[in-house]
Amino acid sequence: WDSESHKQIESKYAIVSGIADYSKTEIVVPSTAKDIYGNSYPVKSINNLSGSSKVKTITLPEGITNIYNIQDDTSLESINIPSSVKEIGNYTFGYCNNLKTIEIPEGVTEIGEGAFYNSGLESITIPAGIKELQENLFNGCKYLTSITIPSTVNQIDANVFNGCSSLTSINYCGNQESWNKITVISTGNEAVKKAEITYGTDISGENPEVTQFEYDSLIFKVRKDYTWDSESHKQIESKYAIVSG
């Protein structure tokens, strides 16, 4: 959209808005698309790959920044989210009943309302940078047992965990004090009260039990450091931590 002329103008990008053959079990989206004149355009967005009953795997290229509307792919088992993606739109993976797990890269800063509505997710890690778990995000995810929530989240909207009857574990990356400051809309989030919540810490103290901590909007995994004791011929625990991911 051009604000000066108040007109739509053609960009130098392409949007995937569907496929012509839904008999395939695997979809590989190219990084560039050609028009009828042979001109190539980088693929920037996925706008519609929904409605297939056979596709099991979708492979997306680097360069895509937005993903929308892959819902109703009832057989979908696997999809990669490239590190270039910034936004996952509303109800994108709704009714993807066989999608048990998905890895969301750290660059994603927006996950829309109902993005995993009635999907088959069993576990998921929300990336640091997400500030709000939007309404209906996991509504109907009856197989969801565990979720990792970053300390950047400050609000959990209504019905985010509605129907998540299997949810037993919430791993919150901040401390208990910051968890208590999160605004949790009570409607449809009874599962939060029933789940066991574990809290993260930072490494500013001498606690060797650190498993992860957040710094500058990134979540780091850490492990204990051990040294070899030549007298006892054993590994002994040091007072240091090692960043392991």
Side-chain angles (χ1 to χ4, degrees):
W1 180 258
D2 182 58
S3 58
E4 293 185 3
S5 64
H6 301 288
K7 294 181 180 180
Q8 295 276 9
I9 58 174
E10 182 177 319
S11 75
K12 296 181 179 180
Y13 298 95
I15 295 174
V16 171
S17 57
I19 57 175
D21 184 359
Y22 278 105
S23 66
K24 305 295 184 180
T25 59
E26 181 179 359
I27 296 174
V28 178
V29 177
S31 58
T32 58
K34 291 184 178 181
D35 63 17
I36 58 174
Y37 305 106
N39 300 313
S40 293
Y41 299 89
V43 175
K44 185 178 183 180
S45 177
I46 302 296
N47 247 7
N48 186 3
L49 288 178
S50 66
S52 171
S53 60
K54 294 184 179 181
V55 62
K56 293 184 177 181
T57 303
I58 297 176
T59 302
L60 303 178
E62 281 291 334
I64 288 176
T65 57
N66 309 85
I67 302 175
Y68 310 107
N69 200 15
I70 304 181
Q71 61 183 331
D72 300 324
D73 285 329
T74 54
S75 295
L76 182 66
E77 297 176 358
S78 173
I79 182 171
N80 69 302
I81 307 296
S83 60
S84 53
V85 170
K86 304 299 181 185
E87 179 185 4
I88 297 173
N90 295 349
Y91 295 91
T92 293
F93 296 103
Y95 296 100
C96 290
N97 307 126
N98 286 302
L99 187 65
K100 296 181 179 180
T101 184
I102 190 169
E103 185 173 343
I104 304 176
E106 293 293 336
V108 173
T109 56
E110 180 80 11
I111 302 177
E113 176 182 332
F116 298 100
Y117 186 87
N118 267 318
S119 70
L121 279 182
E122 295 179 354
S123 64
I124 190 169
T125 296
I126 303 297
I130 297 295
K131 296 181 179 180
E132 179 182 357
L133 301 188
Q134 297 194 37
E135 189 170 352
N136 292 315
L137 184 57
F138 301 108
N139 194 339
C141 293
K142 59 184 178 180
Y143 303 110
L144 184 67
T145 61
S146 64
I147 181 172
T148 296
I149 299 175
S151 60
T152 53
V153 169
N154 55 41
Q155 180 163 315
I156 298 176
D157 291 346
N159 297 310
V160 168
F161 295 104
N162 186 40
C164 296
S165 55
S166 299
L167 184 65
T168 57
S169 175
I170 296 176
N171 179 28
Y172 178 64
C173 299
N175 56 33
Q176 187 171 1
E177 182 181 359
S178 60
W179 170 264
N180 292 334
K181 293 179 181 178
I182 296 177
T183 300
V184 181
I185 307 301
S186 59
T187 304
N189 285 319
E190 292 80 6
V192 175
K193 299 178 182 179
K194 298 177 181 179
E196 179 182 357
I197 302 174
T198 57
Y199 303 98
T201 62
D202 59 32
I203 57 171
S204 59
E206 296 184 355
N207 180 8
E209 300 297 331
V210 173
T211 57
Q212 62 182 20
F213 71 101
E214 183 177 354
Y215 177 75
D216 195 25
S217 298
L218 286 176
I219 297 171
F220 293 87
K221 296 179 180 179
V222 300
R223 60 180 174 83
K224 298 177 185 177
D225 182 42
Y226 292 87
T227 58
W228 179 256
D229 182 61
S230 58
E231 293 185 2
S232 63
H233 301 286
K234 293 181 180 179
Q235 294 274 16
I236 59 173
E237 184 178 313
S238 75
K239 294 182 178 180
Y240 297 95
I242 294 176
V243 172
S244 58

